[in-house]
Amino acid sequence: MSSRYFTEEHELFRQSLKDFLQKEVVPHIEKWEETGHIERFIWEKFGEMGFFGLAYPEEYGGMNLDLFYTVILLEELQKINSAGFSAAIWAHAYLAMTHVNKEGDHAIKEKYLAPSITGEKIGCLCITEPFGGSDVAGMRTTAVKKGETYVINGSKTFITNGVYSDYLVVAAKTNPELGNKGISIFIMDRDIPGISATKLDKLGWRASDTGEIAFDNVTIPASNLMGEENKGFPYIMQHFALERLIMGINAHARAEFALDYAKQYMSERQAFGKSIDKFQALRHAFADCYADMLMCKEFNYTVAERLDKGEYVVKEATVSKLRSTKMADEVVYQCLQFLGGYGYMEEYPMARLLRDSRLGPIGGGTSEILREIIAKMVIDDKDYKPAT
């Protein structure tokens, strides 16, 4: 653990979080993995402990703490071996709530942010569409202004918390002819007429509810617009930096968990009269995995520090997600191999870890899209700007 980034207070928080997760979350993980439904009581317990309010203003019940408390939350969530549960938590706390905090007015924050911090309300962020994938600018969902209302039509898919959340933060085109310059951000309650959701069956992340959502003439007050009309695309791009860094941090923590488990297993597993951690081929493969994990971890901490200072780190966060998620896939794959046949068994953690890890290079922008974004910035000198 690097003392450059973590104070004694951080480490006390880490230990209390570990204890909480072991006591309150781990006993229920297998049930939630099987049902794909995280029960509401745990959201309220997270709220009671203040975990949803780490990064948010005290005015709405948050604690306004530095970003490394969030780093700790993300890291420890990865180490209970349910990326689905972890995703449900951080998609609420850092995708939906980030937009509410940054673009919502005071009335919206009182109605949605405050109860999100206490765990009374769960949010989801609706950007990806069935025909768009990573092409945010190509979205087809529209919001047509009619008097003092907007009428929403379209669909979203792969939405974490898309079925069981209480409110939705939705990107839609208010001015389709302007392309990505015609997107706006709205907030709406789940129970508004015209909203329907279908639960998707996934390879991994099975504890979380991932949904496809349809909007059929959904009418909302014009006051549900967040931020300025047609400024949605720069809002989304700006917050992608946090989302991509989150997925990078998740990845290095996931790889570290896999290595810790494999190290323990290798020290106990006997073959040819000695523990398998004494065989050079396995030792060197482990060393390579550890080196790759550590490189990503230290880079992610550096980017987190810069983001915490308010720097615009879209390029660095994109690199974080691209390299860290690839690394995690490779490390988890190798760690399953260290366990041999047991790695393939569901009673050991590696099978689930392998399935869960595979979403890393897909969600939040595929690796192919991220490479093109990086190429535009470093080859074409494209300069993405913060939303003003």
Side-chain angles (χ1 to χ4, degrees):
M1 198 59 60
S2 174
S3 59
R4 173 185 169 186
Y5 303 106
F6 298 99
T7 64
E8 184 178 352
E9 288 75 16
H10 285 125
E11 295 307 336
L12 289 171
F13 171 72
R14 186 186 294 274
Q15 190 56 54
S16 69
L17 174 60
K18 282 183 178 179
D19 294 343
F20 172 85
L21 293 174
Q22 289 301 316
K23 179 183 177 183
E24 304 290 352
V25 177
V26 170
H28 306 284
I29 286 296
E30 295 308 318
K31 177 183 177 182
W32 297 337
E33 285 280 330
E34 184 176 337
T35 63
H37 181 207
I38 300 165
E39 294 163 282
R40 292 297 294 236
F41 75 85
I42 198 63
W43 296 89
E44 293 167 6
K45 287 191 175 183
F46 264 74
E48 289 170 9
M49 294 295 292
F51 297 146
F52 291 137
L54 298 175
Y56 294 104
E58 294 178 17
E59 180 182 359
Y60 301 101
M63 291 185 281
N64 198 31
L65 297 171
D66 67 69
L67 191 58
F68 281 94
Y69 284 92
T70 293
V71 171
I72 292 168
L73 177 67
L74 297 170
E75 288 181 332
E76 296 308 320
L77 280 170
Q78 288 297 310
K79 296 176 183 179
I80 59 173
N81 201 26
S82 176
F85 177 80
S86 171
I89 295 297
W90 63 256
H92 165 64
Y94 297 105
L95 300 190
M97 287 174 62
T98 292
H99 279 277
V100 176
N101 183 52
K102 295 294 187 180
E103 284 101 58
D105 59 23
H106 177 66
I108 285 174
K109 289 178 184 178
E110 283 198 323
K111 183 176 179 181
Y112 295 100
L113 185 61
S116 293
I117 289 171
T118 62
E120 295 171 72
K121 285 188 177 181
I122 303 168
C124 68
L125 177 62
C126 304
I127 295 177
T128 302
E129 298 192 353
F131 302 101
S134 296
D135 181 12
V136 174
M139 72 173 58
R140 301 180 184 180
T141 299
T142 59
V144 178
K145 193 166 188 181
K146 293 187 176 181
E148 294 302 309
T149 67
Y150 284 94
V151 179
I152 316 292
N153 282 284
S155 60
K156 302 290 181 178
T157 197
F158 309 142
I159 307 304
T160 303
N161 299 336
V163 178
Y164 300 120
S165 56
D166 302 296
Y167 67 89
L168 305 86
V169 176
V170 180
K173 282 193 172 173
T174 39
N175 204 334
E177 60 271 20
L178 293 180
N180 66 9
K181 292 181 172 62
I183 295 172
S184 301
I185 305 291
F186 300 90
I187 193 164
M188 59 195 74
D189 292 317
R190 162 76 52 181
D191 57 5
I192 293 176
I195 299 177
S196 59
T198 303
K199 193 173 184 179
L200 301 173
D201 191 15
K202 310 185 296 295
L203 172 69
W205 282 28
R206 298 193 68 84
S208 70
D209 60 297
T210 303
E212 183 163 297
I213 303 174
F215 303 92
D216 182 11
N217 289 317
V218 176
T219 302
I220 59 172
S223 58
N224 283 31
L225 171 70
M226 294 206 298
E228 293 182 45
E229 192 176 73
N230 299 326
K231 285 289 186 73
F233 190 75
Y235 295 147
I236 292 166
M237 292 299 105
Q238 185 164 311
H239 302 328
F240 266 161
L242 177 61
E243 180 180 356
R244 288 168 183 161
L245 180 59
I246 283 171
M247 294 192 75
I249 292 166
N250 288 341
H252 84 235
R254 185 164 61 248
E256 189 169 39
F257 170 74
L259 287 164
D260 287 344
Y261 188 91
K263 179 183 175 183
Q264 182 65 31
Y265 176 87
M266 292 165 69
S267 72
E268 298 169 355
R269 174 68 169 170
Q270 295 285 317
F272 307 103
K274 58 183 178 181
S275 60
I276 65 172
D277 62 355
K278 298 298 189 286
F279 290 93
Q280 187 181 71
L282 301 186
R283 291 166 64 85
H284 289 189
F286 188 96
D288 281 338
C289 288
Y290 182 86
D292 291 342
M293 180 278 295
L294 189 61
M295 290 283 285
C296 288
K297 181 179 179 179
E298 288 296 326
F299 178 76
N300 292 343
Y301 285 171
T302 300
V303 178
E305 183 179 51
R306 291 181 59 189
L307 183 60
D308 193 46
K309 291 177 179 177
E311 294 185 36
Y312 193 64
V313 291
V314 167
K315 179 174 65 178
E316 293 80 3
T318 304
V319 170
S320 164
K321 181 185 182 298
L322 175 66
R323 302 309 297 174
S324 298
T325 56
K326 182 175 186 291
M327 174 278 298
D329 269 9
E330 293 170 350
V331 168
V332 172
Y333 187 95
Q334 179 61 65
C335 286
L336 190 151
Q337 186 72 19
F338 288 142
L339 271 65
Y342 291 108
Y344 205 65
M345 298 297 110
E346 288 291 345
E347 63 187 282
Y348 288 76
M350 292 301 169
R352 179 187 298 163
L353 202 57
L354 186 72
R355 289 195 303 273
D356 285 351
S357 184
R358 190 60 190 85
L359 188 62
I362 299 172
T366 65
S367 293
E368 291 75 15
I369 291 293
L370 300 189
R371 291 187 185 100
E372 182 57 23
I373 290 169
I374 294 166
K376 284 180 178 178
M377 297 183 83
V378 301
I379 297 175
D380 303 336
D381 296 322
K382 182 174 178 59
D383 187 18
Y384 291 96
K385 297 288 187 182
T388 55

